[in-house]
Amino acid sequence: MARIAVIGAGMGAMASAARLAVAGHRVVVYERAATYGGAVGRFERDGFSFDLGPGLLPLPAVYRDLFVKTGREPLEACVELVQVDPSAHHVFADGTQVAVPNASRAGVVTALDEALGAGSGSRWGDFLVRAREAWDRTRRPLLEEPLWPNWSVLADREPYPAVPHKRLLRTRRAATLAEIGAWELRDPRLAALLESHALAYGLDPRVTPASAAVLPYLEHAFGTWSVRGGIRELARAVHERCVACKVEFVFGAEVTGIVEKDGRAAGVELADGTVADADFVVAGVAPVALDRLTPGTAVRGEGEVPPQRGALSRLTVLLALRGGRPQGAAHRTVVHAADRDEELDRLFGAHPGLPAAPTVTVLRPDDPASAPDQEHEALTLTVTVPAGLEVSDSDVERVLAVAGRALPGLRDRLLWHEVRTPLDIARATGADGGAVPAPALAASGGRLLHASNVTRLPGLFAAGGWAHPGGGLPHAGMSGALVAGLIVEGPEFRGSQ
């Protein structure tokens, strides 16, 4: 039985802790905050309840597997999962609207044809077939295995089978999401639908590789799910599973350093000067935080995956409304930017800031737990913004104005609102500027791969969104499984079969 110290109680760290404890190890989680969950937080006021992190769960199979492998009760016995339908309601810049059915290719094709014109659905359906091929090619090496030592193979190979396209007397193939939209989808609204999946993770579709086609495919193939009571309930269930597996949690315990002995990680030092010995250390923290814990030690070596550049953050506005949720309202509505080029330039250009009319995602859960009674409604507005952005009142007003395109009379219903900025995310997660990690993607020279779960310091492993295979709730859970496998089975571990 090994002693294992886990730094942070985020989703990836807790997923690792539960699996390691079931394998017979003594696991202690040290969390500087007063509670678990990391970015998966909750805000409550006057009977209203809001998720502060992700509001929906794609690929719930990751957490089903965690619960199967760590106890008798399955995930559905611990939380109530609800498949939302439609998957999303889209409001495009020209006023066109479409409700995209959940996990139904035929339904999506029909809905797009009816809303955007004949042929639109078949072009999107054909794209999904190609996206599935990219998913099949990358699923195991990117998500189910530790990062290969020769990761450059993933970096150089584009798995998306782009359609040949004649342009200026040359035959070309789409290499980015934007080119897929322009050359294969051939409709600015379909392109906006595609690009919104990248933008939600802070990725610039103009340079994001075509392999990012797996992002909309993942939602299409496996569905989009909500958790009754909010995603925070999933964090609660994972924490309770850890406790049932005899994982020990120490809250309010800030780790200030990783102890090294004989050239390997040998424990953690806490802010009060206490040293906790360990045979292995799992760090579920952002890269900047890990650097602070290992001063003078290069835990990322030459030749490893290059760090992600230009990571973005999120602005979240929580709205308490008078009046109940209309029957049949979509759980998620995406109101697309009025000017796509202006939005991308403001987010990814030399002078970052909030666009004049940004893409806004509206979450309005059909969940009695989110509001005090049926005569009120809780809404969450989310916008991708530059990391470190200082948000002004006028910025919030712009977000409300965009949301009003999909929700007439929104301001008349508003009781109060709360704002969560990138700086709030930075305080909660330790990520520089409140940056939010994107999922790992193939191609693009490895720019969107994440650092390995194994570090150059023996005995020190990395879990969570900033380690392989990257950001997002499913990916965090996968990172926990990979770290547990590497510790239990050793460097020969190649993932679940």
Side-chain angles (χ1 to χ4, degrees), residues 258-261 263-265 287 290-301 455-458 460:
I258 294 173
V259 177
E260 298 180 38
K261 184 177 181 181
R264 63 173 290 118
L290 184 57
D291 289 342
R292 287 196 295 266
L293 299 178
T294 56
T297 301
V299 295
R300 308 294 185 198
T455 73
R456 290 193 66 190
L457 180 62
L460 174 62

Side-chain angles (χ1 to χ4, degrees), residues 72-88:
R72 294 182 179 180
E73 286 188 316
L75 175 63
E76 279 82 353
C78 303
V79 297
E80 182 181 353
L81 297 180
V82 180
Q83 192 168 16
V84 301
D85 199 17
S87 174

Side-chain angles (χ1 to χ4, degrees), residues 405-493:
R405 289 172 46 199
L407 303 168
L410 175 63
R411 290 182 181 277
D412 294 335
R413 298 179 59 198
L414 184 61
L415 291 172
W416 51 261
H417 71 274
E418 291 279 345
V419 179
R420 289 295 179 269
T421 72
L423 299 182
D424 294 318
I425 296 176
R427 283 189 286 269
T429 66
D432 192 17
V436 176
L441 296 172
S444 195
R447 181 175 59 89
L448 292 173
L449 294 176
H450 287 262
S452 172
N453 307 106
V454 179
T455 73
R456 290 193 66 190
L457 180 62
L460 174 62
F461 297 83
W466 291 103
H468 179 72
L473 277 173
H475 297 72
M478 294 172 194
S479 78
L482 293 175
V483 167
L486 287 165
I487 291 176
V488 172
E489 298 187 24
E492 295 79 19
F493 174 70

Side-chain angles (χ1 to χ4, degrees), residues 25-214:
H25 300 297
R26 180 179 180 271
V27 183
V28 182
V29 177
Y30 299 93
E31 168 58 55
R32 63 175 183 148
T35 187
Y36 51 83
V40 182
R42 174 183 285 164
F43 177 80
E44 296 177 337
R45 173 180 163 186
D46 299 341
F48 292 89
S49 179
F50 306 86
D51 280 320
L52 293 180
L56 292 169
L57 175 65
L59 202 58
V62 172
Y63 289 93
R64 290 192 179 112
D65 180 72
L66 171 65
F67 277 71
V68 166
K69 299 291 177 54
T70 59
R72 294 182 179 180
E73 286 188 316
L75 175 63
E76 279 82 353
C78 303
V79 297
E80 182 181 353
L81 297 180
V82 180
Q83 192 168 16
V84 301
D85 199 17
S87 174
H89 183 88
H90 291 266
V91 180
F92 297 106
D94 66 353
T96 308
Q97 302 188 28
V98 61
V100 178
N102 200 343
S104 169
R105 184 178 184 276
V108 170
V109 169
T110 299
L112 291 175
D113 276 342
E114 292 177 352
L116 308 185
S120 300
S122 61
R123 290 198 299 276
W124 183 262
D126 292 343
F127 158 74
L128 288 176
V129 172
R130 295 188 292 275
R132 175 179 179 176
E133 188 169 340
W135 170 258
D136 290 341
R137 291 175 178 177
T138 60
R139 177 175 179 172
R140 182 159 183 82
L142 270 181
L143 303 179
E144 298 175 354
E145 297 180 348
L147 192 65
W148 296 345
N150 62 333
W151 58 266
S152 59
V153 175
L154 291 172
D156 298 334
R157 181 183 301 165
E158 173 53 71
Y160 178 77
V163 177
H165 170 78
K166 285 194 175 295
R167 183 176 176 85
L168 300 177
L169 303 180
R170 297 173 56 194
T171 298
R172 302 186 58 183
R173 294 177 183 269
T176 66
L177 276 192
E179 290 174 345
I180 291 176
W183 301 349
E184 298 181 8
L185 299 179
R186 305 191 307 278
D187 184 312
R189 297 163 299 184
L190 289 179
L193 174 60
L194 170 64
E195 292 179 359
S196 67
H197 290 274
L199 195 62
Y201 286 107
L203 299 173
D204 184 348
R206 299 171 299 185
V207 297
T208 296
S211 64
V214 300

Side-chain angles (χ1 to χ4, degrees), residues 200-242:
Y201 286 107
L203 299 173
D204 184 348
R206 299 171 299 185
V207 297
T208 296
S211 64
V214 300
L215 299 178
Y217 175 77
L218 187 149
E219 284 197 6
H220 164 76
F222 304 105
T224 303
W225 302 75
S226 67
V227 178
R228 189 70 69 185
I231 293 294
R232 177 67 180 176
E233 285 298 291
L234 177 63
R236 174 199 55 77
V238 174
H239 172 255
E240 290 182 355
R241 177 53 54 90
C242 285

